[in-house]
Amino acid sequence: LGDVYKRQTVSFTDHDTDKAFDQMISTSERLNKLRGVEWGGSTHMCLIGIKENWKDLPNGRNYKGEESIIKSRTSQGFRIVNHPNRSKVFSYKNWNDANGVEVWNTPLENSPFLKLNLKRSNNRKALQQWSDSLKENKSYTAMAGSDFHFIIPCLRDRSLIYPVNFIPSQDNTKTKQYLMQGRSSFLTRPDAPKLTLVAKYADQTNWANMGEKISGKGKVNVELYGDFSDTNKQLGGTCYNTIRTFYRLFTFWKKRFWELRFYNKNGDVIAKRILNPKKFNYKKHFKATFNLPMAKNDIVRAEVWQVNRKSRSIDLLGATNPIYLNEEI
């Protein structure tokens, strides 16, 4: 979890244990730590910011489904339903009072993995489930996770830590609060931009961030920012960076473009914009601005997709949580 000001939060969510929190060394005031765990048996939950010495920590594998959500309340953490469609569908109608849902798990849903008919992730189904929950006035925070358990030579350094979550805020001590609120977006790949969505009614002066509720009349001004400042980071070792260079060399001919999509509560695309990704880099970012007529008690949210006409593939690069319009405050 990071922000545009480089004040980051880390939470290790190992299976059935929170010991990693106590083993972390405090390095800087810029790094905020939250105690976390991946908890549960047939139903996995990611719990972030749990209390110390939580008595039910060893018992997660005894529960499943709604029972996992109910029993995890005493952890006092931010409670995420992990990969709800991995083995069988865990319907949003049964997510109860969970705080969030993992709508994108590992990068394996994107091409070329789709051609291999991999059934491990089912991300697009989970993303649709979350979208369906919004239609029924639910407000689960959409999250993403790498679920990375293994060390793979050449790939371990950078690409497999994605997807990651992004919170546009300078105060990392409020990470848990912002997650509860839904003030976050996620990106699925190292070359994707960090996304920030804001909105306001035309006659208002203050912009609302993701997860916030605003009331007003008339058209809604919507702005989506794409921050590329981290896309040039060479986090991998020599092996990974060599492979990355050759990949770019042999795929330069592919005709890719990016499509920004904006959605309402019904899941309808209410606006689009095409971008040429070659025009942006770690020093040059994008801002897309729209004036949209919105219905009463609606939402607005955004996704960024990469389209490859040559191979007829489409990959999700990132998505935001909604801003809620005409809600009671």
Side-chain angles (χ1 to χ4, degrees), residues 45 66 69-70 72-73 79 94-100 140:
M45 298 194 67
E66 289 182 87
I69 297 172
I70 294 170
S72 65
R73 290 171 181 166
R79 299 172 295 137
N94 302 112
W95 293 349
N96 208 313
D97 64 341
N99 307 116
Y140 301 109

Side-chain angles (χ1 to χ4, degrees), residues 159-177:
S159 61
L160 291 184
I161 68 171
Y162 283 78
V164 295
N165 300 285
F166 171 64
I167 297 173
S169 169
Q170 190 172 4
D171 190 351
N172 63 354
T173 64
K174 294 183 178 179
T175 295
K176 184 176 172 181
Q177 173 186 329

Side-chain angles (χ1 to χ4, degrees), residues 34 78 167 173-183:
L34 287 174
F78 175 76
I167 297 173
T173 64
K174 294 183 178 179
T175 295
K176 184 176 172 181
Q177 173 186 329
Y178 287 147
L179 289 176
M180 293 282 191
Q181 179 182 319
R183 185 172 174 169

Side-chain angles (χ1 to χ4, degrees), residues 53-214:
N53 299 320
W54 177 36
K55 293 182 179 179
D56 222 2
L57 181 65
N59 302 324
R61 294 187 181 272
N62 298 331
Y63 313 123
K64 63 181 179 179
E66 289 182 87
E67 189 179 23
S68 295
I69 297 172
I70 294 170
K71 293 293 185 180
S72 65
R73 290 171 181 166
T74 58
S75 72
Q76 298 179 12
F78 175 76
R79 299 172 295 137
I80 306 165
V81 177
N82 276 0
H83 36 75
N85 289 282
R86 171 169 291 181
S87 55
K88 61 180 181 179
V89 174
F90 183 22
S91 171
Y92 71 87
K93 296 181 182 294
N94 302 112
W95 293 349
N96 208 313
D97 64 341
N99 307 116
V101 59
E102 185 184 48
V103 301
W104 209 263
N105 172 261
T106 81
L108 296 182
E109 191 81 12
N110 286 346
S111 61
F113 300 105
L114 285 175
K115 295 180 180 180
L116 302 177
N117 293 319
L118 292 172
K119 297 181 179 180
R120 180 176 184 271
S121 185
N122 295 307
N123 286 323
R124 300 192 193 209
K125 292 181 181 178
L127 185 63
Q128 183 60 53
Q129 247 190 314
W130 172 69
S131 176
D132 290 341
S133 76
L134 294 172
K135 298 176 186 178
E136 298 191 12
N137 299 314
K138 307 294 184 182
S139 56
Y140 301 109
T141 300
M143 302 286 291
S146 67
D147 209 0
F148 184 40
H149 294 272
F150 308 101
I151 302 243
I152 302 175
C154 299
L155 293 178
R156 68 187 179 94
D157 297 305
R158 186 163 192 239
S159 61
L160 291 184
I161 68 171
Y162 283 78
V164 295
N165 300 285
F166 171 64
I167 297 173
S169 169
Q170 190 172 4
D171 190 351
N172 63 354
T173 64
K174 294 183 178 179
T175 295
K176 184 176 172 181
Q177 173 186 329
Y178 287 147
L179 289 176
M180 293 282 191
Q181 179 182 319
R183 185 172 174 169
S184 66
S185 60
F186 66 85
L187 51 153
T188 66
R189 298 184 345 195
D191 56 344
K194 296 176 291 189
L195 301 174
T196 301
L197 182 71
V198 296
K200 69 180 183 67
Y201 284 92
D203 60 349
Q204 296 175 342
T205 57
N206 295 327
W207 292 88
N209 212 315
M210 297 169 289
E212 293 184 334
K213 302 176 181 179
I214 56 174

